[in-house]
Amino acid sequence: MVGCVLVRNGRTIGEGWHRRFGGPHAEIDALRRCHGSPRGATAYVTLEPCCYYGKTPPCTDALLAAGIRRVVAAVRDPNPRVAGRGLRVLRAAGVAVTLGVCAEQAAALNAPFFKFIRRHRPWVILKWAQSLDGKIATHTGDSKWISDEVCRAHAHRQRGLVDAIIVGIGTVLKDDPLLTSRVRATRSGTIRRPPRIATRIVLDSDLRIPPRAQLVRTAKQVPTWIFCGPSAPAARVRRLEAAGCHVTRVPLAQPADGQQRRARLWQPFTPFSPSHSDSASRRRAGLSLAAILDELGKAQMLNVLVEGGGRLLGAFMDERLADEVQVYIAPLLIGGAGAPGPLHGHGAARVARAHRLVETSGDRAAALRRLGAGWFLRTRV
Ligand SMILES: NC(=O)c1ccc[n+]([C@@H]2O[C@H](COP(=O)([O-])OP(=O)(O)OC[C@H]3O[C@@H](n4cnc5c(N)ncnc54)[C@H](OP(=O)(O)O)[C@@H]3O)[C@@H](O)[C@H]2O)c1
């Protein structure tokens, strides 16, 4: 998220932020909301102002036209079309420029955008609700509801902040979810429109999704994408497209994606090891997550929420394709060896190889806090 605050004579006269892709940048938003003249003011920005015509005109032009005298920017924009040029344009026009104030915090805040610019892939957030003993469902597969209403309302708000929500076909077959952001305003009781309408995405190699699934039945109202394998039946593709779904074939996960190599390194005696036939291990590997993230990047998606289940979450972890984890921890003890945890897949064979979550000082998001009757953990991975 990029923000801008305009200050003149020690008073805040305008605040703005970049609300959506393609929309006005934070500087423009702040100038539009400014009380009084911005002439002579200082602009504090979390990202270097842009200096080129993209979806909107250059912010440097707007700042100069408004008579801004000083710009304090937290970080340089890594976009090759800017990369320091925005600051040089301002300096050349006589604006005093300071760079690097709260740089670490701003880098954490802008991490999804920075990843998108560097890798052309969205920021991947893994999300699940678990009991205190680490179960995301009972041994019968029941998972409604592990977290309480406060946590579920929070989870709905999170859905309204992302470009896409991804689930595996296992979750669709078991839970028949709607995957929309249903946020109820507390006072009037009306449903508020979320800031973003997330595209709902299902990973379904053979298109097993039933036509009566809620996701399919509502596909004409809410964007619904289904990724399938190269040999998914064409008749099922046609049927889903007629229902309003957007179906894309992607390759199956290959050894190069790391799964079979990791199986060898991490779990030499697992029944999922490559000693099984190639086709069997490929079938278990599912679709290529890397190819899917590339597709989402092409569609300009900046952040995606992976909502499970365990097989899909585990695959993202195994492939080291996750950037962030959001966990709702409920004060419940479910128990049972057959009750699933959040991360299937191969996992680490040794504790020394486990993902260690490190809280960086600039990342205010890396925190465990009370939420409802339970806790909410949000951290980078
Ligand atoms: N507590 C929570 O937060 C939460 C959230 C969601 C789900 N759940 C629970 O989780 C359970 C379902 O979990 P699940 O593990 O069976 O299903 P899942 O992870 O939702 O779906 C797994 C399926 O997705 C397909 N897939 C395609 N590409 C994949 C890839 N690269 N990696 C992994 N899977 C891929 C595979 O089926 P194909 O081979 O047919 O494509 C795979 O069997 C349910 O009991 C549900 O209630 C709990």
Side-chain angles (χ1 to χ4, degrees):
M1 185 212 289
V2 182
C4 173
V5 177
L6 300 174
V7 177
R8 201 186 53 198
N9 299 331
R11 269 189 49 241
T12 299
I13 56 167
E15 285 180 346
W17 55 289
H18 185 216
R19 288 152 208 272
R20 59 178 176 84
F21 180 76
H25 288 179
E27 296 88 332
I28 310 301
D29 196 40
L31 287 170
R32 282 184 190 163
R33 289 161 191 274
C34 194
H35 315 293
S37 167
R39 198 150 289 280
T42 297
Y44 293 89
V45 283
T46 56
L47 184 69
E48 172 185 7
C50 75
C51 54
Y52 67 96
Y53 280 87
K55 297 220 179 291
T56 55
C59 289
T60 46
D61 285 3
L63 292 171
L64 293 175
I68 297 295
R69 295 282 295 280
R70 185 174 174 230
V71 169
V72 179
V75 279
R76 213 181 283 271
D77 186 342
N79 184 342
R81 297 174 80 179
V82 186
R85 271 184 46 225
L87 299 178
R88 284 201 295 278
V89 166
L90 292 169
R91 278 198 188 106
V95 175
V97 171
T98 307
L99 175 70
V101 176
C102 299
E104 215 178 337
Q105 289 91 336
L109 206 58
N110 290 316
F113 170 65
F114 288 2
K115 177 184 177 187
F116 185 78
I117 292 292
R118 292 191 183 113
R119 308 275 316 274
H120 306 292
R121 282 184 183 173
W123 184 257
V124 177
I125 305 163
L126 305 188
K127 173 249 156 175
W128 66 84
Q130 66 167 61
S131 61
L132 202 52
D133 58 335
K135 309 290 189 186
I136 63 162
T138 67
H139 71 93
T140 64
D142 181 37
S143 62
K144 284 194 175 99
W145 295 106
I146 287 181
S147 50
D148 64 16
E149 268 186 29
V150 176
C151 291
R152 293 207 303 280
H154 183 271
H156 273 282
R157 285 196 295 277
Q158 295 300 110
R159 281 180 176 174
L161 299 175
V162 294
D163 291 320
I165 298 165
I166 307 180
V167 292
I169 181 63
T171 295
V172 177
L173 295 176
K174 183 73 197 165
D175 297 345
D176 191 17
L178 196 51
L179 301 181
T180 51
S181 171
R182 300 183 293 283
V183 181
R184 196 172 286 276
T186 44
R187 283 205 197 125
S188 64
T190 51
I191 305 286
R192 261 188 289 143
R193 206 181 139 76
R196 294 189 201 182
I197 302 291
T199 297
R200 306 170 305 174
I201 297 177
V202 183
L203 273 50
D204 181 8
S205 309
D206 301 322
L207 295 180
R208 291 188 284 145
I209 190 166
R212 64 181 185 287
Q214 291 205 81
L215 290 173
V216 179
R217 283 196 282 117
T218 56
K220 287 188 176 151
Q221 288 88 54
V222 186
T224 308
W225 292 12
I226 303 182
F227 284 100
C228 65
S231 54
R236 292 186 195 172
V237 174
R238 284 195 296 276
R239 191 188 62 199
L240 288 165
E241 284 178 342
C245 300
H246 175 81
V247 183
T248 306
R249 292 184 192 273
V250 286
L252 297 176
Q254 295 293 313
D257 289 349
Q259 299 201 355
Q260 293 188 13
R261 181 171 48 84
R262 243 185 298 285
R264 226 171 16 247
L265 284 173
W266 289 23
Q267 290 206 333
F269 306 115
T270 172
F272 296 98
S273 80
S275 58
H276 282 241
S277 78
D278 191 44
S279 65
S281 57
R282 272 194 195 183
R283 204 164 49 237
R284 284 188 196 99
L287 303 171
S288 165
L289 300 180
I292 289 168
L293 291 180
D294 286 340
E295 289 293 324
L296 303 185
K298 278 186 220 157
Q300 307 289 331
M301 290 188 183
L302 238 70
N303 57 0
V304 297
L305 194 62
V306 183
E307 291 210 9
R311 265 178 251 184
L312 190 57
L313 292 165
F316 269 98
M317 252 353 231
D318 280 353
E319 294 297 319
R320 296 186 183 259
L321 290 172
D323 300 295
E324 182 178 327
V325 163
Q326 297 185 3
V327 187
Y328 298 90
I329 304 166
L332 292 177
L333 298 171
I334 290 179
L343 301 174
H344 299 198
H346 299 298
R350 298 199 315 274
V351 174
R353 302 290 302 270
H355 290 265
R356 193 166 291 279
L357 306 178
V358 181
E359 184 176 342
T360 58
S361 60
D363 186 359
R364 286 180 299 140
L368 177 71
R369 67 178 171 92
R370 286 303 301 232
L371 188 66
W375 298 267
F376 177 60
L377 172 80
R378 181 179 179 182
T379 182
R380 302 292 173 81
V381 289

